[in-house]
Amino acid sequence: MAEMSDSNLDKPTIIQQAIASSCGAIITSLFVTPLDVIKTRLQAQSNPFSKGKCFVYCNGLMDHICVCDNGDSKAWYKKPGHFKGTLDAFVKIIQIEGIKSLWSGLPPTLIMALPTTVIYFTCYDQLSEALKSRLGKDDEHIPVLAGSLSRFGSVTVVSPLELIRTRMQYRKLSYNQLYTCVSSKVAADGWLSLWRGWSSTVLRDVPFSAMYWYNYERFKKMMCKEVGVHEPTFLIAFTSGAASGSVAAVITLPFDVVKTHMQTELWERETLKIPQRDCTSTWAVMRKIVAKNGITGLFAGIIPRLFKVAPACAIMISTYEYGKSFFSHLNEEMNQRP
């Protein structure tokens, strides 16, 4: 019994879990953002973004809708360049614009991505511990339940903030103007209008999280057993994260395609002042995509999604596990001191 209470004392606290997930979020963003900056710049070069046009920008942690502003602006995604491909763009951006340009657009998206990641990962760990004490530590339903609930919570919290952030970024509103804008929207369409696009995000992110954590815990346990270690090494967490992220990304891709379609269409209508039509459901959008492009239309962009999701999942989870391991050993040392 004494051993059990000691091991509980050694476990990272909520604050330590939050610090570990914050470090993971920052490191993931630093590695993954350049890939999306280059992708966006290549897209803008081949098909210039017109005013009011939307595109999805990702920092490896979450997607953000960016609304293109006036043609005379010096926005990072509209900088001139003649790139022959990804590697050529990477080299030329560093040579001509400096290495900082590879992280263009990161600060405003990180402001939201950091708290979301902290909520998501700390909630997952806290829920896992609570469910283990009720269902037993080897119950296979725990990662599915904890992953689904923690993602559902973080998506629900962030959804209105994403809507407000995009509006503020596009129209360059002051906080007073933003308050007036949001309150008039709530008065006209009700509080639920702040969660527009929430259902398509939940349909993608909750199944993704359930599959991701279920596979991650299984791969981790399997590899730890194979290597003969009790807790995952950095390499085990990295490999398990990449594999489970890839599986979840492929299975949930149709919902990702639908979500992107719905969000970009919504913002293009808002910014171009196109009258709002009846709210289109996720299933209606899915049927429209299938009718236009066939079933393969729902799996469009599978390779870019894998290239983005696999390294992001691998870096995030391995950094997070390393951080938790660091704090566990630190707590152990502190508890052993006389």
Side-chain angles (χ1 to χ4, degrees):
M1 195 71 180
E3 276 179 36
M4 190 132 166
S5 60
D6 282 350
S7 69
N8 282 337
L9 285 170
D10 295 343
K11 281 179 182 173
T13 62
I14 293 181
I15 301 293
Q16 289 172 336
Q17 287 169 351
I19 294 166
S21 54
S22 296
C23 292
I26 292 164
I27 291 165
T28 304
S29 299
L30 291 175
F31 274 97
V32 179
T33 298
L35 300 174
D36 228 49
V37 167
I38 288 167
K39 182 207 78 176
T40 305
R41 292 285 294 275
L42 286 167
Q43 278 179 339
Q45 176 183 273
S46 60
N47 185 19
F49 299 142
S50 55
K51 185 188 175 184
K53 179 76 179 165
C54 294
F55 64 90
V56 176
Y57 169 85
C58 178
N59 58 11
L61 302 167
M62 57 192 294
D63 295 340
H64 298 272
I65 294 290
C66 284
V67 185
C68 300
D69 38 26
N70 297 323
D72 59 353
S73 73
K74 292 189 170 84
W76 62 267
Y77 48 83
K78 286 193 174 181
K79 284 182 182 174
H82 299 286
F83 312 125
K84 293 169 191 165
T86 304
L87 189 63
D88 185 54
F90 186 80
V91 172
K92 280 182 181 170
I93 287 170
I94 293 173
Q95 283 177 342
I96 300 163
E97 301 167 27
I99 199 158
K100 278 204 300 189
S101 282
L102 291 174
W103 286 275
S104 302
L106 176 62
T109 56
L110 206 54
I111 288 165
M112 271 182 57
L114 266 174
T116 311
T117 309
V118 169
I119 292 166
Y120 177 39
F121 277 82
T122 48
C123 278
Y124 174 78
D125 269 342
Q126 293 299 313
L127 282 166
S128 292
E129 287 303 313
L131 289 166
K132 277 175 189 174
S133 63
R134 282 174 175 268
L135 305 173
K137 63 174 187 173
D138 295 321
D139 195 300
E140 289 195 340
H141 296 103
I142 291 170
V144 177
L145 285 168
S148 301
L149 289 169
S150 55
R151 196 61 178 177
F152 184 88
S154 63
V155 165
T156 305
V157 168
V158 166
S159 215
L161 299 177
E162 170 67 0
L163 201 76
I164 291 164
R165 189 195 67 85
T166 312
R167 196 177 289 268
M168 202 172 180
Q169 181 191 356
Y170 177 63
R171 295 189 188 166
K172 297 180 174 61
L173 302 172
S174 69
Y175 286 104
N176 282 339
Q177 289 171 318
L178 182 69
Y179 175 76
T180 309
C181 180
V182 171
S183 55
S184 61
K185 186 170 176 60
V186 168
D189 305 323
W191 280 102
L192 288 178
S193 63
L194 294 178
W195 278 269
R196 192 172 283 157
W198 172 86
S199 60
S200 60
T201 309
V202 163
L203 276 169
R204 181 195 68 170
D205 288 3
V206 171
F208 180 95
S209 291
M211 278 180 275
Y212 171 77
W213 286 109
Y214 175 75
N215 285 317
Y216 173 72
E217 298 291 357
R218 282 192 68 187
F219 290 149
K220 182 176 78 172
K221 201 181 284 182
M222 206 166 62
M223 288 177 80
C224 283
K225 197 176 175 183
E226 197 74 33
V227 180
V229 290
H230 289 297
E231 58 179 50
T233 61
F234 186 86
L235 189 62
I236 287 172
F238 190 93
T239 311
S240 303
S244 50
S246 300
V247 170
V250 171
I251 296 169
T252 58
L253 186 63
F255 294 111
D256 184 56
V257 172
V258 170
K259 175 186 178 275
T260 305
H261 183 93
M262 285 176 79
Q263 283 197 320
T264 51
E265 200 176 61
L266 167 74
W267 275 105
E268 280 168 15
R269 281 205 304 269
E270 286 242 350
T271 52
L272 297 171
K273 305 283 189 292
I274 298 167
Q276 188 76 41
R277 291 175 300 185
D278 292 335
C279 199
T280 316
S281 71
T282 300
W283 307 110
V285 173
M286 208 174 258
R287 282 198 300 272
K288 195 164 87 174
I289 292 167
V290 171
K292 192 179 175 184
N293 305 311
I295 201 82
T296 53
L298 292 174
F299 291 89
I302 190 164
I303 303 299
R305 179 151 160 82
L306 278 175
F307 271 115
K308 191 161 61 181
V309 171
C313 287
I315 297 163
M316 181 65 218
I317 196 67
S318 52
T319 313
Y320 181 59
E321 291 279 21
Y322 180 83
K324 286 200 300 177
S325 176
F326 169 81
F327 283 120
S328 287
H329 290 124
L330 187 72
N331 293 346
E332 195 180 341
E333 281 177 28
M334 297 287 280
N335 292 329
Q336 282 174 355
R337 283 180 188 171

